[in-house]
């Protein structure tokens, strides 16, 4: 088993002081340690944005991929070597703007991986432009007079896409974030976690969330009830931002993509020798 | 028409701004009507300045915060299709993501304008300058112009709209400027008066076709091999060649009107009375200009050719200057893996038909933002001169590698 300290690296951390990424990093290290995973059993895939540097600060396998393409890459890794625990990290720009096309497919296929979205509601790395989750009317560097676009609701969207594990956490509550991440990693299938996190430099929402978040598990929510999950997913909109639920909205057991591909069961692809000789088949075309 | 460069403009106003700010001013002065925008370093401030111009009411345009660069170019195509002047800006991976749609803009013959702030391509991730992003788009049919100063960035956007919208061209263009070295560096820039720009660059009036409810057309449908696909490709090639002539006229017209001349397809200096020529693009070429000045003071006989227009390629122009030279030294800031530097390869191909064909020594330098200083360019020249006297290799040499074993 690896300790939290052993999962860290000597690389200088360049996130702004106060960034929500620190909580996600800390929580993830705790969960990997708590689950007894060895570093070589875990692969982290990151997108483009401030979060993308998380791989630099983790002493395990990581792949810093192209903007928006965390899910296809993570899917490829999981299918080729199902022994690995695959965790994708993406930003809200990454996951909901440029890369949203991959989200419904990972969800409906139920690929056995965890997808953590650092949702700070701005493009932080490029210094604070509006993303698809930026609240209506917010002034940013790309919307000096307020954004005219409705934000998307990631929880409702991913529920509708057919994901088997849908959760939200808040980086200001580290212990709860750890609990949610642990449940996500333990889930067999596609586990989606939207982490509400302040961008301390360009959109500081610590105070806003602290006053409004409540835990679904403290409120008697039944995570097997999809309709109720959808109702709770819309609670922030419906209450005008009064109440923001965090925790596991929905969880269901369903066969994963690999379960439905019998030819991939048994020996993982990476361990199979290339054994198909097509020379004979081609002979008749000579 | 080379020595006219430094006459101070009488009109306009002076400001100390970055090249990204200068480009945004150019788009404003060109009265672009649609700006689809997606942030990417080091381009982001261009679209931020444009958002600001639009929301202040200084530019009457629609601004679309799209969800990716692929969508940015698709939105620009939509806008240009109905007859609007469209503009966007990108860099590196953003340009690569656009690749599919770049071809579409050319095939649809839409004179869209774009600033490409040159940045290295991943992996590993780098946000610093080289030309790999733009050079790898060379076969899309986009007109590609590399600039080497903040002023040239502003002026070139205005000139290239006029070139691109010429009835015998109708092709999209990218003005390429070096990330950080230009994009984030402040320099004095003359910002022309709107009235002067209006009289230089009239509103875009598509001479060919546009989506119009009163005159319905359909575009982009399937063609079979015996129909006109190949002829349409031929017409793009012809249009690209015509762009070079238009740029020549339009840079002269611009110089007469605004008092500034940055060259046309190429910019050359000391090329007539030199034994050797050094060829480069972007800020590497301005650095070479300083190096050459010093080399000439030290008694070397070398001139400068700055390749501004990379597509269409100024092969004839360089061939003409190359006659009688002892050698040509090309410094590339990108690489065509397995075939050396793209500028060097294109230049060699252009020289093939010349009767007088000097040796060409290629160097690859400054990838991923590695600094190339005046002393490096002088070292490159001296090394090239030695190689020419000893007989040169066919591919490019890599300059300044840190690993001793693979160094030249």
């Amino acid at each position: 088993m690896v300790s939290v300290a052993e999962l860290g690296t000597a690389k200088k951390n360049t996130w702004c002081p106060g960034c929500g990424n620190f909580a996600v990093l800390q929580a993830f290290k705790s969960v990997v340690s708590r689950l007894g995973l060895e570093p070589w059993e875990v692969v982290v895939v990151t997108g483009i944005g401030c979060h993308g540097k998380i791989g630099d600060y983790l002493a395990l396998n990581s792949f810093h991929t192209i903007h928006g393409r965390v899910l296809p890459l993570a899917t490829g890794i999981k299918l080729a070597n199902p022994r690995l625990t695959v965790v994708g990290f993406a930003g809200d720009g990454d996951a909901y703007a440029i890369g949203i096309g991959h989200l419904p497919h990972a969800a409906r296929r139920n690929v056995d991986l965890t997808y953590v979205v650092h949702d700070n509601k701005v493009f932080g790395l490029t210094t604070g432009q509006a993303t698809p989750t930026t609240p209506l009317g917010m002034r940013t560097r790309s919307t000096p007079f307020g954004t005219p676009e409705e934000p998307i609701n990631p929880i409702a969207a991913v529920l509708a896409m057919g994901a088997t594990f849908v959760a939200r956490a808040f980086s200001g509550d580290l212990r709860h974030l750890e609990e949610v991440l642990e449940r996500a990693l333990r889930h067999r299938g596609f586990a989606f976690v939207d982490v509400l996190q302040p961008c301390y430099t360009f959109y500081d929402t610590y105070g806003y969330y602290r006053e409004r978040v409540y835990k679904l598990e403290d409120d008697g929510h039944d995570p097997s009830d999809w309709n109720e999950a959808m109702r709770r997913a819309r609670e922030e909109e419906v209450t005008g931002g009064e109440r923001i639920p965090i925790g596991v909205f929905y969880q269901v057991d369903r066969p994963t993509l690999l379960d439905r591909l019998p030819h991939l069961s048994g020996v993982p692809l990476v361990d199979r020798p290339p054994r198909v000789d097509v020379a004979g088949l081609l002979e008749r075309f000579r | 028409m080379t020595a006219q460069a430094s006459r101070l403009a009488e009109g306009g106003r002076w400001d100390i701004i970055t090249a990204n700010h200068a480009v945004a001013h150019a788009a404003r002065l060109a009265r672009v009507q649609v700006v689809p925008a997606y942030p990417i370093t080091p381009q982001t401030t261009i679209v931020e300045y444009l958002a600001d111009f639009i929301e202040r009411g200084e530019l009457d345009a629609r601004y679309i915060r799209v969800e990716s660069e692929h969508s940015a170019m698709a939105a620009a195509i939509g806008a240009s299709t109905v007859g609007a002047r469209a503009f966007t800006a990108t860099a590196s991976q953003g340009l690569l993501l656009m690749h599919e749609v770049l071809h579409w803009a050319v095939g649809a013959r839409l004179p869209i304008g774009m600033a490409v702030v040159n940045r290295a391509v991943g992996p590993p991730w780098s946000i610093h300058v080289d030309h790999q992003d733009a050079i790898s788009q060379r076969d899309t049919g986009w007109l590609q112009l590399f600039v080497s100063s903040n002023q040239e960035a502003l002026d070139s956007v205005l000139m290239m709209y006029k070139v691109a919208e010429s009835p015998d061209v109708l092709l999209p263009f990218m003005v390429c400027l070096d990330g950080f070295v230009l994009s984030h560096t402040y320099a004095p820039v003359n910002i022309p008066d709107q009235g002067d720009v209006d009289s230089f660059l009239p509103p875009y009036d598509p001479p060919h076709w546009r989506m119009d409810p009163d005159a319905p057309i359909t575009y982009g449908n399937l063609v079979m091999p015996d129909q006109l696909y190949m002829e349409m490709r031929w017409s793009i090639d012809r249009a690209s060649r015509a762009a070079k002539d238009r740029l020549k006229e339009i840079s002269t017209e611009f110089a007469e009107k605004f008092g500034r001349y940055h060259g046309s397809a190429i910019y050359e200096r000391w090329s007539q009375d030199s034994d050797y020529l050094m060829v480069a693009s972007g800020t590497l070429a301005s650095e070479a200009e300083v190096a050459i000045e010093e080399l000439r003071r030290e008694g070397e006989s070398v001139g400068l050719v700055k390749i501004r227009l990379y597509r269409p390629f100024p092969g004839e122009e360089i061939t003409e200057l190359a006659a009688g030279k002892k050698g040509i030294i090309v410094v590339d800031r990108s690489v065509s893996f397995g075939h050396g530097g793209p500028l060097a390869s294109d230049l060699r191909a252009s020289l093939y038909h010349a009767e007088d064909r000097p040796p060409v020594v290629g160097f690859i330098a400054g990838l991923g933002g590695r600094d190339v200083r005046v002393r490096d360019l002088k070292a490159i020249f001296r090394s090239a001169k030695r190689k020419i006297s000893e007989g040169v290799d066919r591919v490019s040499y890599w300059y300044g590698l840190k690993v001793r074993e693979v160094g030249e």
Side-chain angles (χ1 to χ4, degrees):
Chain A
M1 198 183 96
V2 64
S3 71
V4 170
E6 284 167 335
L7 281 169
T9 66
K11 185 100 175 177
K12 183 175 182 277
N13 194 308
T14 57
W15 290 329
C16 304
C19 177
N21 287 338
F22 287 104
V24 179
L25 173 63
Q26 181 61 31
F28 179 67
K29 287 194 289 194
S30 301
V31 171
V32 170
S33 173
R34 205 185 296 168
L35 292 178
L37 291 164
E38 296 294 353
W40 54 87
E41 294 172 331
V42 183
V43 182
V44 158
V45 183
T46 71
I48 295 298
C50 296
H51 81 274
K53 288 185 280 193
I54 201 167
D56 287 357
Y57 314 136
L58 284 167
L60 38 72
N61 306 295
S62 68
F63 197 123
H64 194 169
T65 187
I66 295 170
H67 196 23
R69 312 303 159 200
V70 167
L71 286 174
L73 201 108
T75 301
I77 291 170
K78 187 68 188 180
L79 290 188
N81 191 353
R83 284 184 306 240
L84 295 168
T85 295
V86 183
V87 183
F89 291 95
D92 46 310
D94 219 34
Y96 308 138
I98 200 164
I100 198 169
H102 304 298
L103 191 46
H105 307 294
R108 71 190 176 90
R109 287 174 187 141
N110 202 27
V111 188
D112 185 15
L113 54 88
T114 302
Y115 192 39
V116 181
V117 180
H118 299 237
D119 187 2
N120 60 14
K121 305 189 191 297
V122 287
F123 285 108
L125 188 65
T126 50
T127 70
Q129 297 80 19
T131 69
T133 48
T134 304
L136 182 69
M138 189 175 128
R139 291 182 182 212
T140 72
R141 300 280 288 265
S142 61
T143 57
F145 285 64
T147 167
E149 296 166 8
E150 286 287 342
I152 65 163
N153 179 331
I155 301 291
V158 177
L159 279 168
M161 288 168 186
T164 54
F165 182 98
V166 182
R168 182 194 273 151
F170 169 43
S171 71
D173 188 340
L174 182 61
R175 215 149 143 191
H176 183 255
L177 172 63
E178 281 175 12
E179 284 165 26
V180 171
L181 273 188
E182 183 176 341
R183 287 178 70 181
L185 261 79
R186 284 183 186 280
H187 177 72
R188 196 170 173 281
F190 181 68
F192 170 79
V193 185
D194 184 73
V195 182
L196 300 175
Q197 67 166 72
C199 172
Y200 195 67
T201 304
F202 297 107
Y203 191 37
D204 181 9
T205 46
Y206 273 115
Y208 177 86
Y209 287 133
R210 277 230 168 82
E211 287 167 17
R212 290 165 174 80
V213 293
Y214 77 90
K215 294 178 184 120
L216 286 165
E217 51 273 29
D218 295 346
D219 209 48
H221 175 61
D222 170 11
S224 69
D225 184 343
W226 190 90
N227 287 318
E228 178 60 12
M230 193 56 120
R231 193 190 69 75
R232 301 260 191 180
R234 298 197 59 245
E235 198 169 354
E236 186 182 357
E237 289 154 53
V238 172
T239 63
E242 281 302 301
R243 278 164 66 80
I244 303 173
I246 55 174
V248 179
F249 286 74
Y250 185 63
Q251 185 170 15
V252 67
D253 191 30
R254 205 176 71 204
T256 67
L257 180 61
L258 270 169
D259 296 338
R260 285 175 169 164
L261 299 171
H263 59 287
L264 292 183
S265 66
V267 182
L269 278 179
V270 285
D271 295 336
R272 297 184 195 183
R275 62 187 167 193
V276 182
D277 183 5
V278 294
L281 293 172
L282 293 173
E283 198 54 43
R284 67 191 173 99
F285 295 108
R286 283 186 189 277
Chain B
M1 173 89 216
T2 54
Q4 216 179 321
S6 59
R7 183 158 66 86
L8 280 185
E10 286 159 16
R13 67 180 173 87
W14 288 90
D15 201 351
I16 297 175
I17 55 175
T18 63
N20 277 0
H21 202 169
V23 163
H25 274 297
R28 174 182 63 77
L29 290 165
R31 296 186 187 276
V32 300
Q33 292 157 297
V34 176
V35 181
Y38 194 78
I40 183 167
T41 305
Q43 169 283 121
T44 307
T45 55
I46 296 179
V47 294
E48 284 182 352
Y49 285 122
L50 284 167
D52 204 46
F53 288 146
I54 292 168
E55 305 225 4
R56 282 172 193 280
E58 292 171 17
L59 170 63
D60 184 15
R62 298 286 180 274
Y63 191 87
I64 316 170
R65 280 159 286 268
V66 288
E67 64 282 0
S68 76
E69 288 89 354
H70 194 275
S71 308
M73 188 43 60
I77 287 172
S80 188
T81 301
V82 294
R85 188 174 278 159
F87 180 82
T88 188
T90 192
S92 185
Q93 308 296 131
L95 184 64
L96 302 190
L97 183 62
M98 277 182 189
H99 181 77
E100 180 186 17
V101 221
L102 293 182
H103 281 282
W104 226 99
V106 170
R109 306 298 297 273
L110 300 168
I112 295 161
M114 174 159 66
V116 173
V117 183
N118 295 113
R119 167 187 146 182
V121 162
W125 289 117
S126 165
I127 57 169
H128 296 284
V129 59
D130 71 31
H131 293 166
Q132 197 71 37
D133 51 358
I135 295 287
S136 61
Q137 308 307 315
R138 70 179 185 186
D139 298 332
T140 56
W142 278 64
L143 310 173
Q144 296 183 299
L145 187 101
F146 286 80
V147 302
S148 42
S149 76
N150 295 12
Q151 184 73 62
E152 190 183 354
L154 188 154
D155 295 346
S156 297
V157 170
L158 300 176
M159 283 186 257
M160 287 306 285
Y161 263 119
K162 193 156 177 160
V163 172
E165 292 171 4
S166 301
D168 57 347
V169 177
L170 292 171
L171 289 172
F173 71 88
M174 52 181 89
V175 166
C176 306
L177 53 143
D178 288 352
F180 295 105
V181 181
L182 292 180
S183 68
H184 287 61
T185 303
Y186 285 77
V189 171
N190 180 274
I191 302 161
D193 294 330
Q194 184 68 62
D196 292 338
V197 174
D198 287 344
S199 65
F200 172 76
L201 180 68
Y204 173 47
D205 183 19
H208 53 328
W209 64 278
R210 77 171 98 182
M211 288 288 173
D212 178 356
D214 296 328
I217 51 163
T218 177
Y219 194 86
N221 307 57
L222 187 73
V223 288
M224 299 309 285
D226 60 345
Q227 292 173 317
L228 293 176
Y229 181 90
M230 202 162 153
E231 288 68 20
M232 291 173 82
R233 298 280 121 174
W234 166 80
S235 76
I236 293 167
D237 188 50
R238 189 181 57 171
S240 179
R241 290 161 192 276
K244 200 160 66 175
D245 298 331
R246 294 295 83 74
L247 178 62
K248 201 170 178 182
E249 298 157 12
I250 286 164
S251 344
T252 307
E253 183 192 338
F254 188 91
E256 280 160 6
K257 189 162 188 69
F258 296 96
R260 288 189 294 273
Y261 184 74
H262 309 282
S264 176
I266 58 169
Y267 164 87
E268 59 89 19
R269 214 174 150 196
W270 309 291
S271 67
Q272 304 297 332
D273 62 344
S274 302
D275 293 339
Y276 297 91
L277 292 178
M278 258 185 121
V279 182
S281 261
T283 53
L284 207 53
S286 352
E287 197 76 0
E289 191 166 356
V290 180
I292 290 169
E293 249 175 338
E294 287 189 13
L295 284 165
R296 290 176 69 87
R297 273 205 301 274
E298 291 159 19
E300 298 289 355
S301 176
V302 52
L304 170 78
V305 175
K306 189 187 281 188
I307 296 186
R308 299 185 70 239
L309 197 61
Y310 179 60
R311 280 294 179 274
F313 191 72
E316 294 86 349
E317 288 79 354
I318 297 173
T319 304
E320 206 173 294
L321 296 177
K325 302 297 179 213
K326 288 184 184 164
I328 300 182
I329 301 108
V330 186
V331 190
D332 269 281
R333 203 159 204 166
S334 65
V335 53
S336 178
F337 295 108
H339 197 55
L343 294 183
S345 308
D346 287 349
L347 202 144
R348 284 196 191 95
S350 302
L351 287 176
Y352 181 78
H353 298 284
E355 277 183 30
D356 189 352
R357 235 185 8 239
V360 176
V361 196
F363 287 84
I364 289 160
L367 301 190
R370 174 86 45 98
D371 209 8
V372 184
R373 297 151 298 183
V374 166
R375 69 165 186 252
D376 297 313
L377 287 154
K378 288 168 77 174
I380 283 174
F381 172 76
R382 295 216 163 89
S383 158
K385 204 173 149 186
R386 204 170 50 240
K387 287 179 200 309
I388 288 163
S389 67
E390 292 164 2
V392 297
D393 274 6
R394 286 196 199 90
V395 294
S396 299
Y397 295 90
W398 288 67
Y399 177 79
L401 293 176
K402 284 182 182 292
V403 185
R404 187 176 296 167
E405 305 88 83
V406 298
E408 49 148 331

